[in-house]
């Protein structure tokens, strides 16, 4: 069963995502302010910014799970409420991991909107679910209870669920948090293997990952920069986004930028954990 | 053995009671599994106590007619279920806080109404603790119809209800109507409680909802297995409790609730013992290697 490279049901040439002056917040507190951006199908975008910059809020608004206070979001030119092609993987999803479900059960949940009310999954849906698991290499874990999965396996399970959903936009909020170096590499490889069949937006503190992704949205409540990493991840803009929370480190004759949130978890700079540094031009 | 198990079946009221308790136990297990997984076990207790004002008003309006009391109780439970759902949505309070407010408020209202009619206090005991041995043929048909409605509605919305119970954010991203599905879960719970009124009573119905589901969730890996095992535990507890009630002449509702709790404790202990036992194949603990 082929689940990639399918014909998009949407009008060709239309931007997948149009965000116009969107502001949103919680209980009167503004989390994002006048954010505007366009995302085209097949693009990969790293959303970067300090803690509290509004990355998660932006994703929730785009996913349609949080209503913006102002502005407008359009998916392929129409209201997001009409689309089921957006997959949102929350940061540290507040889920009951003791829930009685196997990996296959969770991936199959991606088919629910496609199948519709009052219907059960058919053989074709099951084949799509199997193909989605195969594509992110979690088929051997299909019968495993979700409580038995590691952090990296959970992320891959959710990516498989998005593939089963036939999502055209996949948003991952801090997917690398809590992963060891191997799991981090494996997840990056999984995302890389998706090619341009799925548009990916990924919130991260890791400037190295952002640079590898290529296109960056740098924000701190407002959108400070949006474009190729080489143009956005420059000292002035990083300083504007991170303020005094950005450290500059000289090593190997180069200057590196390191968001200070790296030290929030007591990890010594440059010693352990995924590298979040980026060489400054 | 014949004396113990077969002889009681010679009495029609025992057979009716057995049928009633198995149907009610299955319905309670079904809705109870959702409630336990959502961390809302005590919503059952809150809904059960919210029936008191409905029963009291029903009594004042139509006396002790079981039919009328059932419909008054059912109506009150559904209104309360929808009210709790709206309370959570409109006033942005947590679900457990909504349960607490409704629980005490409705029960207090019921007691105030009851206190205006002194003779009713005695009859209330039947509703508090149930009297399954008095189930009539009409009661049995009513229980069957309501349980069938619960099963059919869950079957129709099964995959959506499971998703909303597991991951509400993803459900919202899929544009599922989480509010409607949550309200529907509350209403089904209200129906199960109303139908359990005569079987196990207001005070003990939560046991029939929570204990079998909590026991099943310790030993299964998939949701539909949890529902089936919980229903089996509930039905087993109901039948055993009923036999105990018959032979020892103790309150039927309390006997059923006690058996539920004992089964839960036995399964918990067995599960703990099996997990603690070293596995030769090394499957005893999850291997979280990425």
């Amino acid at each position: 069963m082929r689940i990639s490279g399918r014909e998009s049901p949407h009008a060709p040439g239309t931007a997948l995502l149009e965000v116009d002056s969107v502001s949103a917040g919680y209980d009167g507190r503004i989390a994002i302010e006048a954010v505007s951006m366009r995302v085209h199908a097949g693009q990969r975008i790293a959303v970067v910014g300090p803690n509290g910059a509004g990355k998660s809020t932006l994703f929730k608004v785009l996913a349609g799970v949080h209503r913006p206070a102002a502005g407008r979001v359009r998916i392929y030119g129409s209201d997001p409420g009409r689309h089921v092609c957006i997959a949102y993987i929350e940061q540290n999803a507040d889920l009951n991991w003791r829930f009685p479900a196997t990996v296959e059960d969770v991936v199959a949940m991606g088919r629910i909107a496609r199948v519709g009310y009052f219907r059960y999954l058919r053989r074709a849906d099951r084949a799509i679910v199997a193909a989605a698991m195969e594509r992110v290499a979690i088929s051997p874990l299909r019968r495993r209870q979700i409580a038995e999965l590691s952090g990296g396996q959970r992320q891959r399970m959710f990516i498989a669920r998005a593939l089963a959903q036939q999502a055209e936009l996949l948003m991952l909020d801090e997917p690398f948090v809590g992963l060891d170096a191997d799991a981090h590499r494996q997840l990056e490889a999984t995302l890389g293997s998706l090619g341009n069949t799925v548009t990916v937006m990924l919130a991260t503190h890791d400037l190295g990952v952002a640079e590898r992704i290529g296109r960056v949205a740098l924000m701190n409540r407002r959108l400070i920069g949006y474009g190729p990493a080489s143009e956005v991840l420059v000292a002035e803009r990083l300083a504007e986004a991170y303020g005094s929370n950005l450290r500059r480190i000289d090593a190997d004759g180069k200057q590196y930028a390191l968001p200070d949130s790296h030290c929030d978890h007591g990890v010594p700079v440059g010693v352990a954990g995924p590298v979040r540094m980026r060489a400054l031009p | 053995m014949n004396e113990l198990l077969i002889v009681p079946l010679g009495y029609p009221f025992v057979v009716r009671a057995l049928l009633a308790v198995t149907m009610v136990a299955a319905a309670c297990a079904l809705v109870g599994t959702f409630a336990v997984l959502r961390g809302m076990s005590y919503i059952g207790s809150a809904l059960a106590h919210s029936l008191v004002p409905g029963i009291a008003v029903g009594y004042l309006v139509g006396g002790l007619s079981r039919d009328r009391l059932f419909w008054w109780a059912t109506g009150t439970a559904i209104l309360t279920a929808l009210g709790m759902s709206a309370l959570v949505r409109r006033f942005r309070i947590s679900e457990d806080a909504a349960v607490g407010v409704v629980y005490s408020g409705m029960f207090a209202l019921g007691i105030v109404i009851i206190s205006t009619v002194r003779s009713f206090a005695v009859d209330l005991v039947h509703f508090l603790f149930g009297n399954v041995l008095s189930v009539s043929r009409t009661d049995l048909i009513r229980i069957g119809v309501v349980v069938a409605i619960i099963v059919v509605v869950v079957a129709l919305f099964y995959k959506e209800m499971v998703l909303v119970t597991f991951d509400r954010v993803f459900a919202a991203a899929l544009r599922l109507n989480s509010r409607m599905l949550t309200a529907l879960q509350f209403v089904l719970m209200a129906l199960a409680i109303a139908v359990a009124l005569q079987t196990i009573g207001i005070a003990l119905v939560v046991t029939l909802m929570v204990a079998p589901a909590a026991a099943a969730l310790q030993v299964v890996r998939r949701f539909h297995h949890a529902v089936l095992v919980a229903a089996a535990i509930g039905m087993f507890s109901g039948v055993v409790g009923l036999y105990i009630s018959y032979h020892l002449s103790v309150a039927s509702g309390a006997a059923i609730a006690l058996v539920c709790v004992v089964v839960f404790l036995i399964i918990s202990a067995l599960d703990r013992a099996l997990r603690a036992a070293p596995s030769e194949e090394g499957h005893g603990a999850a291997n979280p290697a990425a």
Side-chain angles (χ1 to χ4, degrees):
Chain A
M1 173 59 63
R2 184 175 153 90
I3 60 169
S4 61
R6 66 191 180 280
E7 290 292 316
S8 168
H10 303 293
T14 318
L16 187 157
L17 180 67
E18 292 171 85
V19 184
D20 291 326
S21 304
V22 164
S23 299
Y26 308 92
D27 299 324
R29 186 180 60 81
I30 293 173
I32 55 172
E33 194 174 355
V35 171
S36 296
M37 63 195 297
R38 275 175 175 238
V39 177
H40 290 277
Q43 284 186 326
R44 293 165 170 268
I45 294 145
V47 180
V48 176
N51 289 333
K55 302 185 291 292
S56 301
T57 305
L58 175 65
F59 280 4
K60 284 178 182 165
V61 169
L62 301 184
V65 299
H66 187 73
R67 192 171 289 181
R72 197 173 65 166
V73 176
R74 310 284 278 177
I75 307 287
Y76 282 116
S78 60
D79 188 79
R82 295 175 53 196
H83 296 267
V84 293
C85 59
I86 301 167
Y88 168 48
I89 301 175
E90 266 190 297
Q91 178 187 9
N92 299 324
D94 183 23
L95 300 176
N96 173 9
W97 288 102
R98 301 276 300 165
F99 195 91
T102 61
V103 169
E104 187 172 18
D105 292 335
V106 173
V107 176
M109 288 175 183
R111 297 300 303 157
I112 288 177
R114 301 281 179 187
V115 171
Y117 283 106
F118 313 126
R119 292 185 183 140
Y120 290 97
L121 268 63
R122 288 164 296 183
R123 190 176 293 176
D125 297 301
R126 294 282 170 205
I128 289 170
V129 169
M133 289 190 292
E134 193 66 43
R135 196 155 162 207
V136 299
I138 56 163
S139 294
L141 308 177
R142 63 194 304 159
R143 304 249 181 261
R144 192 172 284 191
Q145 216 274 333
I146 56 171
E148 297 168 7
L149 299 181
S150 68
Q153 289 166 343
R154 286 176 184 177
Q155 291 292 348
R156 281 191 284 144
M157 174 182 74
F158 286 135
I159 293 170
R161 184 174 72 176
L163 293 173
Q165 182 190 342
Q166 294 179 309
E168 294 185 36
L169 173 61
L170 169 60
M171 291 185 288
L172 302 103
D173 195 355
E174 299 278 6
F176 302 111
V177 168
L179 302 191
D180 61 27
D182 277 347
H184 186 289
R185 267 193 298 274
Q186 203 169 1
L187 183 56
E188 263 201 80
T190 301
L191 289 171
S193 72
L194 299 179
N196 61 0
T197 55
V198 181
T199 308
V200 176
M201 290 180 78
L202 183 152
T204 180
H205 281 292
D206 191 327
L207 300 184
V209 168
E211 192 170 31
R212 286 193 290 279
I213 285 175
R215 195 169 179 82
V216 175
L218 177 65
M219 61 186 297
N220 189 353
R221 287 191 11 182
R222 294 179 301 104
L223 191 63
I224 290 166
Y226 179 53
S230 57
E231 293 174 16
V232 176
L233 296 181
V234 293
E236 301 74 39
R237 284 182 165 173
L238 286 169
E240 189 182 346
Y242 288 91
S244 59
N245 294 319
L246 189 77
R247 293 183 181 195
R248 293 182 187 201
I249 298 168
D250 291 311
D252 306 326
K254 286 184 176 177
Q255 196 177 43
Y256 291 90
L258 180 76
D260 209 16
S261 56
H262 194 262
C263 298
D264 288 351
H265 314 293
V267 182
V269 171
V271 173
V275 177
R276 297 169 185 219
M277 293 187 288
R278 176 185 181 270
L280 290 172
Chain B
M1 189 60 78
N2 183 49
E3 188 81 359
L4 196 69
L5 298 176
I6 309 298
V7 169
L9 297 178
Y11 298 100
F13 72 91
V14 174
V15 176
R16 285 197 299 271
L18 283 169
L19 288 171
V21 84
T22 48
M23 287 193 288
V24 166
C28 284
L30 184 57
V31 297
T33 308
F34 286 105
V36 169
L37 283 168
R38 287 192 70 161
M40 297 175 64
S41 303
Y42 270 88
I43 195 171
S45 189
L47 282 173
H49 284 77
S50 76
L51 302 189
V52 176
I55 292 167
V57 172
Y59 177 80
L60 289 175
V61 172
L64 263 176
S65 156
R66 274 197 212 147
D67 253 356
R68 286 194 182 182
L69 288 179
F70 171 80
W71 291 116
W72 273 99
T74 305
T76 315
I78 290 173
L79 280 177
T80 309
L82 294 173
M84 272 200 281
S85 178
L87 208 59
V88 172
R89 201 169 63 239
R90 295 276 166 85
F91 295 92
R92 292 172 142 194
I93 62 171
S94 63
E95 284 170 340
D96 65 326
V99 168
V101 170
V102 170
Y103 177 99
S104 48
M106 292 296 278
F107 193 56
L109 178 64
I111 297 298
V112 165
I113 297 170
I114 285 167
S115 64
T116 62
V117 189
R118 288 181 187 278
S119 64
F120 188 63
V122 178
D123 302 321
L124 185 67
V125 173
H126 289 295
F127 298 106
L128 278 176
F129 303 113
N131 186 9
V132 71
L133 296 175
S134 68
V135 166
S136 68
R137 192 180 166 82
T138 313
D139 295 331
L140 205 56
I141 292 168
R142 189 173 52 225
I143 290 170
V145 170
V146 174
V147 170
I149 290 171
I150 292 170
V151 171
V152 167
V153 172
V154 171
L156 287 174
F157 294 96
Y158 179 77
K159 62 185 189 308
E160 288 83 7
M161 281 188 181
V162 173
L163 175 56
V164 166
T165 306
F166 174 61
D167 188 346
R168 271 189 277 185
V169 172
F170 184 63
L174 288 185
R175 318 300 174 206
L176 292 185
N177 192 336
S178 297
R179 287 175 185 172
M180 183 272 284
L181 289 165
T182 301
L184 193 58
Q185 284 181 337
F186 281 14
V187 168
L188 292 178
M189 211 180 288
L191 281 174
I193 288 164
V195 90
L197 201 64
Q198 200 174 349
T199 320
I200 191 164
I202 291 168
L204 299 168
V205 66
V206 74
T207 318
L208 203 53
M209 282 191 160
V210 174
L217 287 168
Q218 295 181 70
V219 294
V220 300
R221 297 162 69 86
R222 304 185 73 181
F223 188 88
H224 58 280
H225 294 168
V227 170
L228 293 174
V229 173
I233 292 171
M235 288 191 279
F236 171 81
S237 305
V239 171
V240 172
L242 208 55
Y243 271 104
I244 290 173
S245 166
Y246 175 84
H247 288 295
L248 302 181
S249 297
V250 293
S252 54
I256 293 166
L258 270 178
V259 175
C260 274
V261 172
V262 169
V263 171
F264 167 77
L265 291 174
I266 289 171
I267 288 177
S268 301
L270 284 174
D271 179 58
R272 191 179 165 84
L274 287 173
R275 280 177 194 273
S279 165
E280 284 180 18
E281 293 174 8
H283 295 313
N287 176 13

